[in-house]
Amino acid sequence: MAVAAQSAGRDPASVALTAVSKQQPWEVIAPVLAAGQRVFGENRVQEAKARWGELRLAESALELRLIGPLQTNKAKEAAAFFDVVETLDREKLARALAEAAASLGRSPRLYVEVNTGEEPQKAGVLPLEADGFIAKARDVYGLTIEGLMCIPPQGEVAGPHFALLADIATRNGLSQLSMGMSADYETAVQFGATSVRIGSAIFGAR
Ligand SMILES: *Cc1c(COP(=O)(O)O)cnc(C)c1O
């Protein structure tokens, strides 16, 4: 990450690491935690609570980010547990998260997921609908959006997807970009990622 940042003329400190611990056994997570990593990504609410529930009470610096799809009926549970939800992608969920925030008196930080490849099976708002969705989340539901997230299609060159996400962010006044995984984080850093989500390159195959 540092090399990628430097070669893109960026300060390495401007790119944060989300270590994606989903489906990993604790024996591979513990050394990463011991080495000082504090930001972890999970893709399921229940699994994350089972893995991190007790530890997060003891470790106040821990930051847990939901990077998997969120069902509306789990929005409140997720809002109560996660520091960041990166997968806001539909109006029903915006409404549920707004209601959760009102009743909990706190909200996780939020990223809007954009389906940059317009893949039918994939979550995320379509690029052409992103501006409207972000405006609605802000103006109708009173949500504060921190940034955008995307997962480019497998087997496609990722750069154009990252560039598209960066464009959408800029025109909506958003500074944070969650993009890049084990296979393409260097490209993501080149295109302005402020956080990368790395699983297998840190913990090994799932
Ligand atoms: C699993 C996952 C990752 C990590 O993928 P790796 O290829 O193991 O680095 C990143 N982002 C999301 C949304 C994921 O679901």
Side-chain angles (χ1 to χ4, degrees):
M1 285 170 62
V3 170
Q6 266 151 4
S7 65
R10 299 184 57 197
D11 177 0
S14 68
V15 192
L17 171 63
T18 300
V20 177
S21 49
K22 69 180 187 198
Q23 296 163 36
Q24 296 286 355
W26 188 252
E27 72 221 44
V28 301
I29 300 170
V32 174
L33 191 64
Q37 176 67 23
R38 288 294 176 272
V39 184
F40 292 88
E42 290 283 349
N43 66 341
R44 289 170 183 273
V45 180
Q46 249 58 45
E47 185 187 335
K49 286 177 89 169
R51 183 171 288 130
W52 295 104
E54 274 178 44
L55 210 101
R56 79 160 318 153
L57 301 174
E59 178 52 75
S60 60
L62 200 61
E63 179 177 302
L64 298 175
R65 303 175 76 118
L66 180 66
I67 61 170
L70 178 57
Q71 291 172 273
T72 309
N73 64 5
K74 292 201 178 134
K76 190 170 179 189
E77 194 179 3
F81 186 73
F82 284 96
D83 302 287
V84 180
V85 170
E86 297 200 3
T87 51
L88 171 57
D89 66 351
R90 58 199 191 278
E91 192 169 348
K92 222 177 140 194
L93 184 58
R95 183 183 304 121
L97 286 168
E99 284 169 8
S103 80
L104 295 164
R106 68 178 287 280
S107 174
R109 288 147 49 208
L110 299 173
Y111 285 61
V112 169
E113 180 176 356
V114 181
N115 185 356
T116 58
E118 304 187 25
E119 295 172 278
Q121 82 287 4
K122 200 170 263 178
V125 297
L126 294 173
L128 277 174
E129 292 167 1
D131 295 358
F133 180 74
I134 293 163
K136 211 167 209 180
R138 286 169 163 164
D139 302 340
V140 177
Y141 298 102
L143 298 174
T144 300
I145 307 300
E146 179 168 299
L148 301 180
M149 183 272 235
C150 76
I151 310 167
Q154 288 232 326
E156 262 186 45
V157 176
H161 295 274
F162 297 147
L164 174 60
L165 197 72
D167 267 359
I168 297 170
T170 302
R171 66 177 185 246
N172 286 282
L174 296 167
S175 62
Q176 302 299 300
L177 292 169
S178 170
M179 56 190 199
M181 320 202 312
S182 293
D184 55 16
Y185 68 92
E186 288 147 308
T187 308
V189 168
Q190 193 185 328
F191 282 92
T194 56
S195 60
V196 293
R197 309 176 308 269
I198 314 284
S200 47
I202 296 175
F203 298 112
R206 285 180 291 275

